[in-house]
Amino acid sequence: MRIAHIGTADNSGGAARASYQIHMGLLKEGHESSMVVGQQTEQRQEIDRIGFPRTLIGKVCGRFVQEFETWTGLQYLWQPLKHRFLDHPFVKNADIIHLHNLHGNFFSFSILPKLSKVAPLVWTLHDTWALTGHCSYTYDCERWQSGCGRCPNLGEYPKISLDTTALLWRKKHQSYRNSRISLAAPSEWLSKMAQSSPLFEGCDVRCIPYGIDLQEFRPGGQLEARDALAIPRDAKVLMVVAFNENVEGASRKGVAFFKAALAALELKPRPWILAVGSKGMFEAFKETFSVREVGYLSSSNMMRQCYVAADVFVLPTLADNLPVSLIEAAASGTPSVAFQVGGVPDIVRHKETGYLATYKDSGDLAHGINWMLSDDSRRVSMGRRCRELAEREYSL
């Protein structure tokens, strides 16, 4: 079978990593899989980028289109390069077109009817953008069920300046209605939302979790990983992913709640903080905690090294579908502490594979970290159950 994947990126970010894993898995199964993306990091012959040239003029043009659609509220309706997808050889020769994240200033949902005439569309939803007038996560807003409009979160990623959400919702409805689309929702939470969305009424919706390579992410080698990261072998280690405010959508990851939880920790000696992402996020804690910042990691091997070096992975996300990082941590035998939100409970089973804290309660988050780190044998047992869960439900 020939499958063409379309998404914002090929292997950068959680959603892209999930789509890349599917692509590589299909290749291993002998299928002809290809990717057409807006951002390319993997230099492979079956992956191609559609976008403005990476020249100064090209960057200016791309920025102009992005700013124009943001300020006018015409989110992804213009996109001057959108028809290139219809003519791309990967797409034209496909038996199935697999859609992923489409909200990256590279694609327009307005071409979906024409695209579905090329081949049937399977759309894996990585967030709630496809269900809303503009935003990737709805939080406690319910307007997506009745046509949006009067949006309370225009600044939510991907932001718009004018409230055209009712118009965009209607445009999506028109586009979806005239397309052949089947939906795959990775989490039970998002599957239920898609099933209740007026935009996808009558569509086939399946809950199909992400799968990862369980040989790539596996337990073992904690002491060697700590040696490589210059972390003492006998330390207690908390791993966290954190981004500064300049990164779009960073506030959704809840790092402020993790910092508040650190201040409430009762453990002595203090655990080490192993931070992935933006550097300098924990400067204020370096007087009371030992901090190891590794920056952005593009290597799966380096990510695995961090997971196995950690005793606990903390992901205080405030809205999420099925975080790939939680699956990777579980496959690496590392239990997690996270808020009970979205699809997180699919992976973090309370006091079985981790600790689910009350939403936005930094005190409970601290309690969960204390509870996890206070009993080594319990934590080791939970790590085994994490790996069993990954093998049972999240293999590629």
Side-chain angles (χ1 to χ4, degrees):
M1 185 180 292
R2 293 168 295 189
I3 305 98
H5 304 270
I6 297 177
T8 305
D10 55 0
N11 196 19
S12 176
R17 293 208 310 278
S19 63
Y20 186 75
Q21 290 272 17
I22 295 170
H23 165 64
M24 295 301 292
L26 288 167
L27 289 177
K28 290 178 182 177
E29 291 290 322
H31 297 288
E32 295 181 33
S33 182
S34 59
M35 302 186 80
V36 186
V37 298
Q39 302 166 20
Q40 183 178 359
T41 56
E42 302 290 335
Q43 302 306 312
R44 298 178 59 92
Q45 63 181 6
E46 79 281 359
I47 299 177
D48 196 19
R49 171 183 170 270
I50 288 183
F52 290 103
R54 292 191 179 102
T55 61
L56 179 60
I57 294 176
K59 291 178 180 178
V60 170
C61 290
R63 184 71 180 199
F64 173 77
V65 172
Q66 182 178 9
E67 292 295 328
F68 174 80
E69 291 192 330
T70 297
W71 285 103
T72 60
L74 301 177
Q75 187 185 68
Y76 313 139
L77 286 178
W78 183 31
Q79 290 301 315
L81 304 182
K82 61 188 177 184
H83 292 290
R84 290 190 182 181
F85 288 91
L86 300 172
D87 299 324
H88 196 285
F90 290 167
V91 175
K92 290 175 69 175
N93 294 323
D95 298 312
I96 294 287
I97 298 171
H98 189 184
L99 306 174
H100 297 275
N101 266 358
L102 302 181
H103 51 78
N105 194 44
F106 77 109
F107 184 89
S108 175
F109 61 83
S110 64
I111 69 166
L112 290 178
K114 291 182 178 179
L115 200 62
S116 72
K117 291 179 180 179
V118 177
L121 307 179
V122 175
W123 193 350
T124 292
L125 304 180
H126 299 280
D127 55 32
T128 63
W129 176 83
L131 315 178
T132 72
H134 90 94
C135 58
S136 60
Y137 282 98
T138 61
Y139 296 93
D140 57 353
C141 178
E142 300 291 337
R143 295 181 186 276
W144 59 276
Q145 298 185 74
S146 57
C148 286
R150 292 178 293 144
C151 178
N153 297 314
L154 291 179
E156 178 62 27
Y157 172 80
K159 67 180 180 180
I160 54 177
S161 298
L162 296 178
D163 190 352
T164 56
T165 54
L167 169 66
L168 293 170
W169 194 95
R170 290 196 302 271
K171 289 291 186 182
K172 286 182 179 179
H173 188 227
Q174 180 182 12
S175 182
Y176 301 167
R177 188 179 57 209
N178 294 317
S179 304
R180 292 184 296 166
I181 303 177
S182 296
L183 297 181
S187 67
E188 292 287 350
W189 165 77
L190 188 51
S191 176
K192 290 175 181 176
M193 286 189 68
Q195 289 169 7
S196 62
S197 168
L199 295 181
F200 288 109
E201 186 176 2
C203 281
D204 181 17
V205 181
R206 313 283 184 96
C207 182
I208 305 176
Y210 296 137
I212 67 169
D213 188 334
L214 295 180
Q215 292 304 310
E216 198 168 39
F217 292 94
R218 63 192 186 281
Q222 184 181 77
L223 300 182
E224 293 80 3
R226 290 187 176 185
D227 291 344
L229 292 166
I231 295 175
R233 288 188 166 197
D234 60 349
K236 291 288 191 296
V237 181
L238 296 175
M239 178 183 170
V240 67
V241 177
F243 303 101
N244 62 37
E245 294 178 356
N246 295 327
V247 177
E248 205 161 19
S251 60
R252 179 172 62 85
K253 293 302 181 181
V255 67
F257 291 91
F258 176 67
K259 290 180 176 180
L262 288 179
L265 282 184
E266 302 168 353
L267 291 168
K268 300 292 183 181
R270 296 287 200 179
W272 275 64
I273 301 169
L274 174 56
V276 177
S278 305
K279 290 191 174 183
M281 295 294 292
F282 297 99
E283 288 296 326
F285 291 87
K286 287 186 175 179
E287 291 186 7
T288 51
F289 289 85
S290 297
V291 179
R292 177 75 169 94
E293 295 179 311
V294 296
Y296 288 90
L297 299 178
S298 57
S299 162
S300 296
N301 185 56
M302 285 296 296
M303 283 298 294
R304 176 193 171 271
Q305 186 178 73
C306 290
Y307 290 129
V308 299
D311 292 296
V312 175
F313 178 54
V314 185
L315 187 74
T317 181
L318 304 181
D320 240 311
N321 167 27
L322 191 73
V324 173
S325 57
L326 287 177
I327 301 175
E328 292 172 346
S332 303
T334 303
S336 299
V337 175
F339 287 133
Q340 185 168 354
V341 66
V344 169
D346 287 13
I347 311 164
V348 184
R349 315 281 170 88
H350 189 52
K351 294 189 176 181
E352 293 182 21
T353 61
Y355 186 95
L356 282 175
T358 303
Y359 186 58
K360 288 188 175 182
D361 187 338
S362 56
D364 196 23
L365 196 69
H367 175 74
I369 295 171
N370 281 322
W371 185 81
M372 294 283 284
L373 292 181
S374 62
D375 190 323
D376 292 343
S377 61
R378 179 173 58 200
R379 192 174 61 256
V380 169
S381 177
M382 292 178 75
R384 285 196 295 268
R385 288 199 289 273
C386 284
R387 178 65 185 185
E388 290 169 1
L389 174 67
E391 291 177 348
R392 187 173 65 249
E393 299 185 24
Y394 298 106
S395 67
L396 187 57

